[in-house]
Amino acid sequence: MAETAIKVRNLYKIFGNNDRAMVEKVKQGLSKTELLAEYGHVLGLRDINIDMPAASIQVVMGLSGSGKSTLIRHLNRLIEPSAGEVLVNGEDVLKMSAKQLREFRRHKISMVFQRFALLPHKTVMDNVCYGLHVMGKSKAEQRKAAARWIERVGLGGYEDNYPAQLSGGMQQRVGLARALATDADILLMDEAFSALDPLIRTDMQTVLLDLQKELAKTIVFITHDLDEALRLGDKIAILRDGEIVQQGTAQEIVLDPADEYISSFVREVNRGRVIQAETIMETPAPASVAASESFPVEEGTVLEEVARRMTEEGIDNAHVVDDAGKPLGTLTMRSVMAGMATPVLKEALEEETGVAEAEKQPS
Amino acid sequence: MDWLFNWMPEWLVEFPQIAGRNLRLMSRTIDQQYRDFSRAWGDSIEAFFRPLLDFLLWFENILIETPWWIILAAITAIVWFASRSKKITIGSFVALVLIGVFGMWEDTMRTLSIITVCTLLAIVVGMPIGILMSRSDKLQATVNPILDVMQTMPSFVYLIPIVMLLGIGLIPGLIVVVIYAMPPIIRLTNLGIRLVDKEVLEAANAFGSSSWQKLVEVQLPLSLPTIMAGINQTIMMALAMVVVASLIGVRGLGQPVLQAITNQYFTQGVLNGLAIVAIAIIFDRASQAYGQRLQRHREASHG
Ligand SMILES: Nc1ncnc2c1ncn2[C@@H]1O[C@H](COP(=O)(O)OP(=O)(O)O)[C@@H](O)[C@H]1O
Ligand SMILES: [Mg+2]
């Protein structure tokens, strides 16, 4: 994947008055519960190491209380760590002076919040202008840039409304426009869509993916929703109790969950939307294929899409090709269906056939 | 109970107190020292407040010299623009006309001018203190008990040191009123800023706002309803104190009340008292309606 934009190294965060001393105890293996019971400190993050790729979406997923908000707030230093390093484009965020940090936040990194955090006394226009205003841009410049982003997120005509007059989805569009207006390369999104209704949420995901195609920002997206994580994440890190339990692409996590905890998450996932054609293709690639027997699919196409096209074309075979059109391997309707089946279904089926076979056996 | 008192030593029956001689000596020493301090500094302190006095007199003069109907129109207009409420505006107009008809116009103008100046002064001094308090828990812990004392101390006690220092007159009166009226604006500025939504403040931080930008763009606007409530209370406290301050020579509606008490003029007392009530209600309703109008953006109507 592309170069690394954000590097987090050995990051620890402990909430309490004596956090630095507690880091040593945690390093020696003290658990979150023990730390709380014996020393009255809360373990927020433990030994976090992540490389976040530039120009792609890094998702951090975990249940409520797992430390997601704490982690993302270290990236723009809204929270000071107890130990560790945060490097953004090679620059150590923790070594910045107050003034450098302000400049960094104004120009390099911006943020979208779970409960929108708009300024209730300012109009949509003035909210979107806020980052530019803080930078000291002229009124005309502010309004010009803001108007463009308001239009881009689909809020044209609402410039003079106050946030309280808008629905949740529209308010978060304002939040998004406000963050994009500063032209920062890095966009932090803390459960940005979690407060929205499911339909609106899907809508906003589409808006984000569309924007990302055009803008190629480095996005750090926090969510507690696996489907959202799989849909948006180029790379996903899973957090539990302040620790990272697995990192990888959506496919890696679904196919090879690191432990029972993650398996329980991914068991019900729609695999057809996650697993890619080349993952299950049979190699070697055929030397030549007749167009009537097989059609080409590009590398990276998900199985659901392959199945849809097989049905449409009425052909049961496909071959995976790379960018240059060179065949890499083959797929059949059967292998695609098998790839899409969830483990729950597989287990159920295996049990049934198992019972059937046992009945056939003479006792 | 006698048997109980009989076998108890004296100090268990009567509270053991400092000997009267010593107590007198202590009071005299402190008073003497304060008097010396007044003699040394009184003039310079008075000189320091001189511009304020000039401003107050100038403002009072304008209110009194200008023909009554212009002032009446001006106040009615201000109330209208602040409240946009017909009821409050007409009520204010009628109250002012009645005040004029019953011969209290000039005193009312004096009271109005001192209240205006005192309130402005209390805001100018009190708000920054409240802002500083909101930023430091330590400062809050120090200032809050002082405010408690200021608010419970009988208002007459304020008069003593001020009169010793500056004598009788408008300036000591002004200072007394400002000190008495300041606690609410300090408290509610502090409270309002502390209650500002943490997430909004975090957003302001995330966009790299300086602390001045945070104050002006986020904290003050969002705490405005609370601060307005503080201003409102400050005005009411100032009005209450203006009567007491008439004891040390502040002219206005307080003096006829004082006169009425000493001479048992019942009607005069009630009329002037009602005039004070009328001013209080005008200030209160107009400032509250103004505060609410500033909050219109909170209404969740789809437009
Ligand atoms: N300021 C704080 N003081 C003490 N504990 C905190 C503080 N902020 C967060 N925590 C604790 O840290 C853990 C992680 O919180 P958070 O990062 O908000 O989780 P998430 O965003 O994943 O729901 C929780 O156990 C929470 O109670
Ligand atoms: Mg959170």
Side-chain angles (χ1 to χ4, degrees):
Chain A
M1 206 161 279
E3 68 193 280
T4 304
I6 304 175
K7 263 188 213 184
V8 178
R9 286 288 171 273
N10 309 104
L11 190 73
Y12 286 81
K13 176 64 191 179
I14 292 163
F15 294 103
N17 293 328
N18 203 7
D19 61 323
R20 276 163 203 260
M22 293 300 138
V23 169
E24 286 314 309
K25 299 205 191 304
V26 170
K27 278 185 182 165
Q28 283 156 20
L30 202 70
S31 78
K32 180 168 177 162
T33 2
E34 288 165 339
L35 185 72
L36 185 62
E38 286 169 38
Y39 299 96
H41 282 56
V42 177
L43 180 59
L45 295 173
R46 166 184 238 147
D47 200 16
I48 304 290
N49 290 284
I50 311 188
D51 286 345
M52 303 187 179
S56 34
I57 303 182
Q58 164 80 54
V59 166
V60 178
M61 201 201 93
L63 296 178
S64 170
S66 58
K68 307 179 298 289
S69 296
T70 308
L71 175 56
I72 201 173
R73 277 165 179 69
H74 278 87
L75 305 182
N76 59 356
R77 207 170 139 195
L78 286 174
I79 296 182
E80 296 284 335
S82 303
E85 280 180 77
V86 177
L87 301 169
V88 175
N89 295 324
E91 222 184 330
D92 191 342
V93 176
L94 304 174
K95 293 219 171 76
M96 291 179 184
S97 67
K99 188 157 176 288
Q100 284 171 322
L101 185 61
R102 268 204 308 275
E103 288 304 314
F104 172 69
R105 288 173 180 167
R106 284 175 189 179
H107 298 280
K108 300 276 163 61
I109 196 162
S110 62
M111 193 160 181
V112 182
F113 293 83
Q114 179 168 8
R115 275 176 294 126
F116 323 137
L118 301 175
L119 303 170
H121 60 292
K122 289 182 187 270
T123 59
V124 168
M125 173 55 89
D126 290 340
N127 264 288
V128 177
C129 282
Y130 186 76
L132 301 162
H133 170 73
V134 166
M135 283 181 204
K137 289 250 162 80
S138 77
K139 201 91 199 152
E141 270 178 291
Q142 289 175 32
R143 294 184 76 86
K144 193 164 151 244
R148 190 163 64 86
W149 285 111
I150 290 172
E151 201 61 50
R152 185 65 186 81
V153 299
L155 280 182
Y158 288 96
E159 286 85 352
D160 296 329
N161 283 79
Y162 287 100
Q165 298 171 321
L166 305 179
S167 67
M170 288 158 95
Q171 289 190 42
Q172 196 56 301
R173 283 169 195 255
V174 180
L176 193 56
R178 174 175 70 173
L180 291 170
T182 66
D183 262 335
D185 277 335
I186 301 173
L187 188 59
L188 306 179
M189 304 182 75
D190 184 9
E191 302 217 30
F193 304 151
S194 298
L196 307 176
D197 297 334
L199 278 180
I200 314 255
R201 190 193 298 189
T202 321
D203 237 28
M204 290 298 287
Q205 291 166 0
T206 313
V207 169
L208 184 67
L209 287 173
D210 282 352
L211 279 166
Q212 176 64 354
K213 248 182 240 155
E214 185 184 315
L215 303 172
K217 302 233 176 219
T218 302
I219 299 178
V220 182
F221 193 100
I222 302 285
T223 181
H224 62 251
D225 178 36
L226 184 66
D227 287 321
E228 189 168 63
L230 296 176
R231 173 150 189 231
L232 298 178
D234 294 313
K235 223 185 128 207
I236 299 171
I238 297 181
L239 210 56
R240 182 182 48 182
D241 287 344
E243 283 179 80
I244 292 200
V245 281
Q246 188 171 10
Q247 292 193 64
T249 61
Q251 201 177 214
E252 281 161 8
I253 287 173
V254 169
L255 288 178
D256 186 19
D259 61 14
E260 214 19 64
Y261 174 75
I262 301 173
S263 318
S264 68
F265 263 120
V266 299
R267 190 162 294 145
E268 307 280 353
V269 156
N270 181 346
R271 298 174 159 239
R273 291 206 185 144
V274 175
I275 298 174
Q276 298 169 348
E278 68 271 21
T279 313
I280 60 154
M281 68 189 176
E282 272 159 44
T283 45
S288 66
V289 274
S292 58
E293 282 164 14
S294 174
F295 63 91
V297 295
E298 274 163 30
E299 224 182 336
T301 313
V302 293
L303 296 186
E304 197 176 77
E305 174 66 13
V306 179
R308 192 182 63 80
R309 277 169 52 191
M310 281 178 171
T311 331
E312 254 172 26
E313 314 235 348
I315 300 175
D316 282 358
N317 296 302
H319 54 280
V320 183
V321 296
D322 64 9
D323 285 347
K326 190 166 127 326
L328 300 171
T330 57
L331 293 168
T332 62
M333 176 71 100
R334 187 183 294 265
S335 68
V336 169
M337 296 310 264
M340 282 165 67
T342 62
V344 188
L345 190 60
K346 268 189 203 154
E347 276 162 27
L349 287 175
E350 271 161 22
E351 227 165 72
E352 239 170 60
T353 48
V355 170
E357 265 160 29
E359 274 170 4
K360 272 187 218 155
Q361 299 272 328
S363 52
Chain B
M1 293 290 263
D2 274 354
W3 60 272
L4 189 65
F5 291 143
N6 284 340
W7 63 261
M8 275 196 309
E10 171 71 19
W11 61 271
L12 276 182
V13 181
E14 287 284 325
F15 203 104
Q17 60 180 18
I18 303 174
R21 196 163 43 85
N22 291 344
L23 200 59
R24 273 194 301 279
L25 186 67
M26 187 187 82
S27 308
R28 211 179 299 140
T29 324
I30 294 177
D31 288 0
Q32 190 54 47
Q33 274 179 3
Y34 187 70
R35 227 168 266 139
D36 291 344
F37 168 80
S38 309
R39 215 162 284 141
W41 291 98
D43 287 342
S44 21
I45 293 176
E46 195 159 349
F48 176 77
F49 285 110
R50 185 78 214 180
L52 204 61
L53 180 66
D54 291 341
F55 174 71
L56 182 60
L57 288 174
W58 171 79
F59 190 57
E60 195 177 285
N61 258 337
I62 289 183
L63 286 183
I64 295 174
E65 302 290 314
T66 316
W68 62 269
W69 50 271
I70 296 185
I71 300 290
L72 183 59
I75 295 178
T76 312
I78 290 172
V79 170
W80 168 249
F81 284 114
S83 69
R84 297 292 162 115
S85 149
K86 275 191 196 126
K87 217 171 89 190
I88 296 174
T89 312
I90 293 173
S92 306
F93 179 82
V94 171
L96 285 171
V97 167
L98 285 177
I99 283 172
V101 168
F102 282 97
M104 297 178 288
W105 185 260
E106 227 180 277
D107 282 338
T108 303
M109 288 305 112
R110 287 211 175 85
T111 298
L112 221 51
S113 84
I114 193 166
I115 293 299
T116 311
V117 173
C118 285
T119 305
L120 288 178
L121 212 60
I123 293 172
V124 168
V125 180
M127 258 177 69
I129 298 178
I131 291 168
L132 290 178
M133 256 171 96
S134 72
R135 300 188 170 192
S136 148
D137 287 342
K138 228 181 236 166
L139 189 64
Q140 177 177 249
T142 325
V143 175
N144 258 337
I146 299 178
L147 295 181
D148 289 339
V149 173
M150 282 169 75
Q151 283 187 300
T152 37
M153 180 77 82
S155 45
F156 292 95
V157 179
Y158 284 119
L159 301 180
I160 305 163
I162 302 285
V163 170
M164 284 171 76
L165 191 62
L166 298 170
I168 279 177
L170 203 47
I171 291 231
L174 191 85
I175 294 174
V176 166
V177 174
V178 170
I179 292 178
Y180 186 72
M182 210 157 43
I185 183 74
I186 298 180
R187 265 190 216 285
L188 288 166
T189 303
N190 171 45
L191 180 71
I193 292 180
R194 281 175 185 266
L195 287 181
V196 166
D197 185 352
K198 293 281 171 298
E199 233 190 11
V200 176
L201 207 58
E202 196 174 43
N205 271 327
F207 282 93
S209 315
S210 63
S211 28
W212 176 253
Q213 285 168 332
K214 258 185 293 183
L215 183 68
V216 175
E217 303 284 338
V218 182
Q219 291 172 312
L220 286 182
L222 290 192
S223 53
L224 206 57
T226 316
I227 293 178
M228 282 303 291
I231 292 178
N232 185 282
Q233 280 187 31
T234 287
I235 296 174
M236 295 305 123
M237 305 264 294
L239 263 170
M241 195 60 187
V242 138
V243 177
V244 176
S246 65
L247 277 174
I248 58 170
V250 171
R251 301 211 289 160
L253 290 169
Q255 278 202 328
V257 173
L258 207 62
Q259 227 174 31
I261 293 171
T262 38
N263 299 323
Q264 305 185 354
Y265 295 154
F266 173 63
T267 320
Q268 181 185 334
V270 170
L271 278 179
N272 284 278
L274 284 178
I276 292 176
V277 172
I279 297 185
I281 293 179
I282 294 175
F283 266 119
D284 181 62
R285 293 301 131 84
S287 66
Q288 275 192 22
Y290 179 65
Q292 270 163 15
R293 254 176 9 94
L294 288 179
Q295 293 306 305
R296 268 179 318 170
H297 59 78
R298 291 188 186 272
E299 288 164 20
S301 68
H302 286 259

